[in-house]
Structures are given as structure tokens and as C-alpha cells.
């Protein structure tokens, strides 16, 4: 016969194990191009303009561009989980999912000189404004990047993505 403490512990472990795991995305963090820094810089600024991403600051001397896009609709750039909110005003706590309102993007792109050309490193941070139906208040929820924006930016500059890691050699019989 199982003791109640052990049974509770087993039930908690089972509940935790059955929770859906967050998706893992392969986000490319940078790429080097055999081009002059100024050419790559202009390509980054052109990509941002074409995608309605506003440049907040750009300094060619430091090689850093800060850009943002506010209140955009989902373009597959980020995975935003809808928060669970609970009605704490009643005796029966009713959980419910928050309603998405809009998404924001804060993008930092570093363009640096390297021995073989110009290295580009985009860092995208996404947030989503969600609405709590119980309190009638908006709040901000962080999101995970899917890598789509970073890949599109790097691909727009020319060149090809780095090759996939080679498959391990198959074992051969002696």
C-alpha cells in the first residue's frame, strides 16, 4: 500500500511530465559576408525599410543599428504563448487565457569588420500585449523568436546560409 505522501508526489511528477514542452527554434545568430562593411550596412538598412521596421538609431562607426516595430500583426516571427489568468474575485478560481492585442519588436543588428568581410549579428526581442479579461487590464508577455526574421535578414544580404553540420559517418563492419 502506498503512503499518501508518495502517491501525491507521484501524481505531481506525472502532471509535470505531461505538460506540453515549449517549442525549440533554431535561430541563426550571425553570418559573415565577403563584402565591404558599408555595402552590408546599406543592405541591412534596406531590409529594415522594406519590412516597415523603424530605425531608432544607426551608427556606422560602432556598427550597431537599433530598430523597432510596434503593434504589428503576427508574421510568424515570434511564438507568443497566451498567458493564463485567474479570476481571483470569486470563490471558484476560473482560469482563462489572455487575449492577444498586439506585438512589438526590438531589434539590434551589429555589423562588424572581420578578417574575411563583414559579420552581421541580429538580436530580436519580441513582446506581446495581452488583455486580462478578469481585471480588464493589458500586460506585456515575452515571446520566443522563431528565427524567421533573423534568417530573412541574413538571406537578404546575399550569400548562402552556412552548411548543415555533416552527418556522422556510419559504422562499417570489419
Amino acid at each position: 500500500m502506498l503512503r499518501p505522501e508518495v502517491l501525491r508526489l507521484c501524481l505531481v511528477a506525472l502532471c509535470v511530465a505531461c505538460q506540453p514542452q515549449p517549442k525549440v527554434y533554431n535561430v541563426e545568430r550571425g553570418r559573415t559576408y565577403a563584402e565591404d562593411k558599408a555595402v552590408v550596412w546599406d543592405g541591412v538598412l534596406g531590409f529594415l525599410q522594406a519590412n516597415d521596421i523603424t530605425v531608432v538609431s544607426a551608427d556606422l562607426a560602432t556598427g550597431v543599428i537599433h530598430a523597432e516595430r510596434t503593434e504589428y500583426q503576427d508574421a510568424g516571427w515570434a511564438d507568443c504563448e497566451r498567458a493564463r489568468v485567474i479570476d481571483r474575485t470569486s470563490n471558484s478560481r476560473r482560469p482563462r487565457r489572455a487575449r492577444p492585442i498586439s506585438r512589438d519588436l526590438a531589434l539590434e543588428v551589429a555589423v562588424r569588420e572581420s578578417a574575411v568581410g563583414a559579420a552581421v549579428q541580429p538580436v530580436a526581442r519580441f513582446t506581446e500585449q495581452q488583455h486580462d479579461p478578469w481585471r480588464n487590464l493589458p500586460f506585456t508577455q515575452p515571446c520566443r523568436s522563431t528565427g524567421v526574421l533573423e534568417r530573412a535578414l541574413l538571406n537578404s544580404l546575399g550569400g548562402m546560409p552556412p552548411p548543415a553540420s555533416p552527418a556522422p559517418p556510419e559504422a562499417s563492419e570489419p
Side-chain angles (χ1 to χ4, degrees), residues 61-84:
T62 61
V64 178
I65 300 170
H66 293 279
E68 66 181 17
R69 184 167 175 188
T70 57
E71 299 181 2
Y72 75 91
Q73 296 303 314
D74 181 27
W77 294 348
D79 181 16
C80 300
E81 185 175 327
R82 291 175 53 195
R84 290 184 56 167

Side-chain angles (χ1 to χ4, degrees), residues 95-136:
R96 200 167 168 190
R97 295 282 180 188
R99 184 176 52 85
I101 300 172
S102 69
R103 292 185 178 186
D104 296 329
L105 160 67
L107 179 65
E108 180 180 310
V109 183
V111 181
R112 310 263 192 245
E113 287 286 347
S114 72
V116 294
V120 179
Q121 297 175 318
V123 177
R125 291 180 186 86
F126 297 93
T127 56
E128 182 175 69
Q129 289 288 323
Q130 296 183 1
H131 182 259
D132 182 344
W134 303 119
R135 293 179 192 87
N136 198 25

Side-chain angles (χ1 to χ4, degrees), residues 12 32 40 61 68 85 110 138 142 157 168 171:
V12 168
T32 303
V40 174
E68 66 181 17
V85 290
L157 300 174

Side-chain angles (χ1 to χ4, degrees), residues 12-29:
V12 168
L14 182 64
C15 288
V16 169
C18 291
Q19 291 292 323
Q21 298 300 315
K23 292 180 182 178
V24 177
Y25 297 99
N26 181 18
V27 179
E28 189 175 352
R29 300 291 178 198

Side-chain angles (χ1 to χ4, degrees), residues 128-162:
E128 182 175 69
Q129 289 288 323
Q130 296 183 1
H131 182 259
D132 182 344
W134 303 119
R135 293 179 192 87
N136 198 25
L137 294 172
F139 62 94
T140 302
Q141 180 81 357
C143 305
R144 288 185 304 277
S145 176
T146 60
V148 172
L149 175 66
E150 294 89 338
R151 193 174 320 108
L153 170 62
L154 296 172
N155 288 345
S156 74
L157 300 174
M160 298 301 293

